[in-house]
Amino acid sequence: VAMVGSGLVYALRWHGCALLMPFTLYEAVPLRRIDLARYRITRMRFGTAPFEFSGSVRAIFGTWLIAWILMAGAGLGALAVGPSIAGALEGAGLADAIGLGVLSLVLLEIVAGILLLVYSVVAYRHTLASTSVAGIRFGTEASVLGIIRMLLLNFLLVTATFGLAGHEMVTWP
């Protein structure tokens, strides 16, 4: 597999999209993902056969929008509930309030991580399904539960062996 084209142009596209993100409240994430995938994939060659990409932003935007709304809602919900929790803990002490705050942030990170994982799997599957070379299409059976299972198994392997199994990480089939 060979690449043609300019790495500088790719870097400028990446940074241009990154600058666009705050102005769109990160709604341009799917646009950036598909635009950069199209640029990368259509510049790949297998021998003389060019890779083709037929992906569209429309196919993954809905998943991103749902994930973004749920993450924003969870964050705003945590901010809205925070003062009432602090009021309820007023007599309990600073340590309890800090502990509850840390717990809510950890739960928020877990929820956001799962939502981003769902989006990433949908986008990854769409990118592969939209890629072909010489009439041969690509694909994957990757799933959110499969990846979570793989991550948990890797965590357990590394933890149970005190890090010795770090080089024997499990990958999905």
Side-chain angles (χ1 to χ4, degrees), residues 68-147:
W68 187 90
I69 288 170
L70 291 174
M71 285 187 295
L76 291 174
L79 286 175
V81 172
S84 63
I85 291 174
L89 289 175
E90 194 169 311
L94 182 62
D96 291 335
I98 290 173
L100 192 57
V102 168
L103 178 64
S104 65
L105 285 176
V106 168
L107 289 175
L108 182 62
E109 290 295 323
I110 290 171
V111 168
I114 291 172
L115 290 169
L116 288 174
L117 178 62
V118 169
Y119 164 72
S120 294
V121 167
V122 168
Y124 183 68
R125 289 178 70 139
H126 174 68
T127 301
L128 281 179
S130 302
T131 302
S132 65
V133 61
I136 301 170
R137 285 210 152 315
F138 297 94
T140 182
E141 296 296 322
S143 69
V144 173
L145 291 177
I147 292 174

Side-chain angles (χ1 to χ4, degrees), residues 1-3 40-54 127-139:
V1 175
M3 296 286 290
R40 239 182 2 257
I41 292 168
T42 57
R43 282 156 181 76
M44 292 171 50
R45 305 286 183 268
F46 186 73
T48 58
F51 281 71
E52 296 172 3
F53 183 73
S54 61
T127 301
L128 281 179
S130 302
T131 302
S132 65
V133 61
I136 301 170
R137 285 210 152 315
F138 297 94

